[in-house]
Amino acid sequence: MDFYEVVEKRRTVRNFKGPATEAQLMRILVAGTKAPSGMNQQRWEFIVVDDPALVEKIAERKYVLNRGNKPRGEEVPPEVEKAAQAQKDSFANGSHVAVYYKEGGRDEAWMCLENMSLAAVPEGLGTKISFYRAGAEKDIDKILQVPPGYELACVLSIGVPAMEPTAPTLRPEGSWLHRNKF
Ligand SMILES: Cc1cc2nc3c(=O)[nH]c(=O)nc-3n(C[C@H](O)[C@H](O)[C@H](O)COP(=O)(O)O)c2cc1C
């Protein structure tokens, strides 16, 4: 697959019908580790989460986060509830990798994540970033028994797309371009 085709075809997938195979997962992770890093420090760490009980905890924490950190049962507007539930449901049937970085390595972790997202495309797989913040990331650390000194970039879900994702609206080409001054 031509590189630009890979770039065009990469889409966030929030509905999987199956996980990546172990071989695919490893190829994707290895592609991630070919990313550049500050002084070649390669401060990324990957936790493959395939224990269903842990996946449930991670998905539930995302659900709560997307309800504005309001626990299950506490009322939120229906559209918020629907979106939060969709985020939780998007963990079904996929493979999941929590991407961590050693302190200071955030930027290279994200470069690594882009490599992984692109590598999934010729494998016929889609990816989804789940971002944790507002304290939720610390709960993920506890769930996954992460030692001090490491921070969560995101959980990357990878799997066989259950449907063709729709392309997002992009800013008009060139609207972001400046030359010599802003
Ligand atoms: C830093 C970052 C955080 C994101 N967090 C989430 C998230 O928590 N849940 C989600 O469904 N998508 C998340 N996304 C995916 C974006 O919503 C998606 O990339 C964007 O809408 C463009 O769509 P595309 O990836 O199909 O091009 C995140 C993407 C980035 C780069």
Side-chain angles (χ1 to χ4, degrees):
M1 202 184 273
D2 166 70
F3 173 74
Y4 289 99
E5 196 183 339
V6 172
V7 169
E8 287 295 333
K9 285 202 166 142
R10 186 215 54 79
R11 284 275 74 76
T12 295
V13 170
R14 300 183 178 87
N15 197 349
F16 299 110
K17 62 180 174 193
T21 65
E22 197 62 22
Q24 285 176 322
L25 203 52
M26 287 309 134
R27 280 196 292 274
I28 290 167
L29 293 182
V30 170
T33 66
K34 308 286 174 175
S37 64
M39 296 180 76
N40 195 28
Q41 291 184 81
Q42 304 166 54
R43 288 168 283 189
W44 39 67
E45 304 286 339
F46 310 112
I47 306 175
V48 175
V49 185
D50 57 8
D51 174 340
L54 294 178
V55 174
E56 164 61 25
K57 283 187 183 171
I58 287 169
E60 178 69 13
R61 190 62 188 88
K62 181 64 176 164
Y63 166 80
V64 171
L65 172 63
N66 282 34
R67 303 171 94 251
N69 264 335
K70 290 208 172 87
R72 184 175 281 280
E74 208 171 290
E75 208 170 310
V76 293
E79 65 278 10
V80 173
E81 175 62 28
K82 195 171 166 219
Q85 188 59 50
Q87 282 283 303
K88 177 162 184 184
D89 293 345
S90 70
F91 282 81
N93 307 321
S95 303
H96 310 286
V97 183
V99 178
Y100 272 84
Y101 56 89
K102 206 171 179 175
E103 257 162 33
R106 186 181 70 174
D107 297 344
E108 62 219 39
W110 282 101
M111 308 244 5
C112 170
L113 272 155
E114 180 65 356
N115 268 16
M116 291 164 72
S117 304
L118 293 173
V121 175
E123 298 282 354
L125 300 171
T127 52
K128 181 207 61 181
I129 290 166
S130 293
F131 194 68
Y132 292 84
R133 55 183 175 76
E137 69 279 23
K138 298 289 164 212
D139 290 335
I140 303 301
D141 296 353
K142 281 183 210 139
I143 292 165
L144 300 177
Q145 302 178 46
V146 175
Y150 292 88
E151 289 176 27
L152 179 67
C154 71
V155 174
L156 188 71
S157 298
I158 307 167
V160 183
M163 56 164 75
E164 194 70 39
T166 45
T169 309
L170 293 180
R171 285 172 56 186
E173 221 168 283
S175 68
W176 24 254
L177 183 65
H178 310 270
R179 203 176 297 271
N180 298 325
K181 61 184 170 64
F182 194 98

